[in-house]
Amino acid sequence: MKIKKLFGVLVAATLVAGMFVGCGSQGGDSKTTSSNSSSKKKVIGFAQVGAESGWRTAETESIKEIPKLDTNFDLKFSDGQQKQENQIKAIRSFIAQKVDIIALDPVVETGWDTVLKEAKDAKIPVVIVDRNAKVSDESLITAFLGSDMEEEGKKAAQLVIDKFGKDASLNIAELQGTVGSTAMIGRQKGFNETIKDCPNYKIIKTQTGDFTRAKGKEVMEAFLKSDGDKINVLWSHNDDMAVGAIQAIEEYGKKPGQDIFIVSVDGIKDMFQLMADGKSNGIVECNPLLGPQLLEVSKQILDGKLTDKNIKSKEGVFKQDQAKAELPNRKY
Ligand code: GYE
C-alpha cells in the first residue's frame, strides 16, 4: 500500500515537473528559471501566452531579465502555447509552488474567474500583463500593466485617414489577431469606431490570422484570390501577420506599400525594415518591454505601496518616411 502511494506521489511530481519543462521548451525557451526554495528571493510566476510573434518574444525576453535587474527576485516562466488551459494549469502550479506574485498575460479576456479566485484564496497577488482579463470580481486582479489596444486601433485608422482623407472610397482587408484577445477586440473596436466618420470606407474582408506570420500569409492569399483587385488597404492587428501578408501580396504580383496601403501594430524591427524598403506604410507602436515595469509593480505590491492599479505603457506612431531613421533605435 505504502509503496503504491509513494509511487503515485512520484508520478504526480514528475508530471508537474514535466509540464514546466514541456512548456518551457516551446519557442526556444529551454530552461525554467530556478526555484528559490532555499533562498529568500521573491518569486514571480509568469504565465505567458505563447511564442507566436516577434512582439511576444521581445516581451518574454524583457520579463526574463527581471532576476538580472534585481537579484532579490526569481522568475518562473511558463509558455502557454496560445492555449488558455495551459495557462490555467501554469497558474495552478504557481499556486502550488507558493510563488509571491503571479503575472498573467491572458491569451483571451474571459474565463479566468475560477483560477484567479484560487490565487486570491492562496493570498497570491495577480498582475495582469499586456492583454487584459475580464473578471466578475475586480479584487481578483491586483494590478494591470499594458497597452491601450483600442487607442492603437484608433491610431491605425488615423494613419489611413491621413493618407486618403475621410471622403475617399476604400476597400479594406482586415487581418484580426487571436479571437477573444484584448489585442484583437480593442484594436478592431478602435479602428472601426474611427472610420465611422468615413462613409465610403468598407471592410470587405476580415478574418483571423492568429497573430502569426504563417496564418497572416495564408489568410491574405485567400483574400487576394477572391478580391485581389479590389483591396486598397490592409489593416493588420499585428506586424507578423502583415509580414506574411506582404509575401502573399508579392507572390500575387502586386506591390505592397504601393498597390495596397498597409498599416499594422507592434513596431518589430522586421516591419520597420519592410517599411524602410517601401513595402508598408504605417506602424502603431505597442511596447513589449514590460520587464522593468513588472518588477516595479511587483515590488510595490510586496511592500504594500502600490501607487497605481492601472499602468499604461507609452507608445508612438511611425509613417514610412520615418522608418529609416527609426530603424537603428528599435530594441525589438
Ligand atoms: O500585438 C501581437 C502578439 O498582446 C499586444 O500579441 C500583444 C499582441 C501583439 O502576438 O504581436
Side-chain angles (χ1 to χ4, degrees):
M1 247 339 234
K2 266 187 189 162
I3 288 177
K4 242 187 184 177
K5 243 190 193 169
L6 180 69
F7 181 71
V9 170
L10 279 177
V11 168
T14 314
L15 281 177
V16 169
M19 191 186 100
F20 272 85
V21 174
C23 292
S25 63
Q26 248 278 321
D29 172 66
S30 54
K31 46 189 187 313
T32 301
T33 315
S34 62
S35 122
N36 78 329
S37 49
S38 59
S39 71
K40 290 215 179 65
K41 287 189 183 189
K42 296 294 178 196
V43 179
I44 302 174
F46 177 43
Q48 175 60 298
V49 170
E52 74 284 1
S53 67
W55 189 100
R56 187 66 52 207
T57 308
E59 189 204 28
T60 295
E61 282 169 8
S62 174
I63 289 178
K64 283 188 171 177
E65 286 289 302
I66 287 178
K68 287 187 203 142
L69 296 175
D70 187 333
T71 51
N72 296 316
F73 278 81
D74 218 339
L75 186 88
K76 290 181 185 292
F77 177 84
S78 164
D79 177 335
Q81 299 173 36
Q82 297 238 66
K83 291 200 177 76
Q84 183 170 37
E85 67 256 37
N86 291 343
Q87 291 195 290
I88 290 174
K89 271 187 211 153
I91 294 169
R92 292 204 165 117
S93 168
F94 291 149
I95 297 171
Q97 295 173 78
K98 298 189 167 52
V99 300
D100 298 285
I101 299 263
I102 289 173
L104 166 66
D105 193 328
V107 60
V108 290
E109 286 190 343
T110 54
W112 301 103
D113 292 74
T114 309
V115 74
L116 294 192
K117 172 88 174 39
E118 292 168 24
K120 191 184 172 191
D121 291 346
K123 300 196 169 44
I124 303 175
V126 173
V127 181
I128 302 291
V129 185
D130 163 35
R131 298 182 185 174
N132 216 334
K134 277 196 179 144
V135 284
S136 48
D137 170 5
E138 276 305 314
S139 77
L140 298 180
I141 295 173
T142 306
F144 166 76
L145 158 66
S147 314
D148 184 337
M149 312 285 185
E150 214 175 303
E151 192 55 37
E152 290 168 353
K154 286 183 186 164
K155 287 178 183 167
Q158 196 54 50
L159 282 165
V160 180
I161 295 172
D162 287 353
K163 168 71 181 174
F164 297 98
K166 287 188 173 172
D167 297 321
S169 292
L170 292 179
N171 290 322
I172 301 169
E174 176 189 27
L175 282 171
Q176 301 171 18
T178 301
V179 175
S181 69
T182 309
M184 175 264 160
I185 297 169
R187 288 171 188 172
Q188 182 171 64
K189 185 164 178 236
F191 189 94
N192 289 355
E193 266 170 20
T194 309
I195 64 165
K196 267 190 192 146
D197 294 346
C198 312
N200 301 315
Y201 282 27
K202 280 192 205 94
I203 300 197
I204 59 163
K205 292 271 151 199
T206 179
Q207 203 179 308
T208 183
D210 222 6
F211 282 131
T212 69
R213 282 184 197 200
K215 286 206 186 135
K217 179 164 191 256
E218 199 181 297
V219 174
M220 191 66 199
E221 276 165 4
F223 285 174
L224 289 164
K225 207 169 172 195
S226 62
D227 280 299
D229 296 324
K230 288 195 203 141
I231 300 168
N232 315 111
V233 171
L234 170 65
W235 151 225
S236 175
H237 290 192
N238 84 340
D239 286 346
D240 283 84
M241 292 189 295
V243 172
I246 286 170
Q247 276 176 33
I249 295 169
E250 286 182 324
E251 284 169 21
Y252 183 77
K254 287 208 170 223
K255 290 201 172 79
Q258 290 182 37
D259 300 330
I260 299 180
F261 185 86
I262 302 175
V263 286
S264 58
V265 187
D266 277 354
I268 61 170
K269 267 190 204 140
D270 285 359
M271 202 63 213
F272 268 90
Q273 186 59 60
L274 285 165
M275 198 155 83
D277 297 342
K279 295 184 180 183
S280 185
N281 307 86
I283 295 172
V284 176
E285 188 181 31
C286 181
N287 182 11
L289 308 177
L290 301 173
Q293 274 175 296
L294 175 58
L295 172 62
E296 198 42 49
V297 176
S298 303
K299 280 186 194 167
Q300 287 183 7
I301 293 171
L302 295 172
D303 293 346
K305 290 178 188 151
L306 182 66
T307 49
D308 198 354
K309 196 181 153 120
N310 278 296
I311 304 117
K312 291 270 154 73
S313 21
K314 287 205 175 118
E315 288 144 357
V317 174
F318 299 90
K319 295 188 180 180
Q320 202 180 64
D321 56 359
Q322 298 165 284
K324 271 203 184 89
E326 176 60 17
L327 201 47
N329 304 330
R330 300 311 296 171
K331 296 206 169 53
Y332 60 95

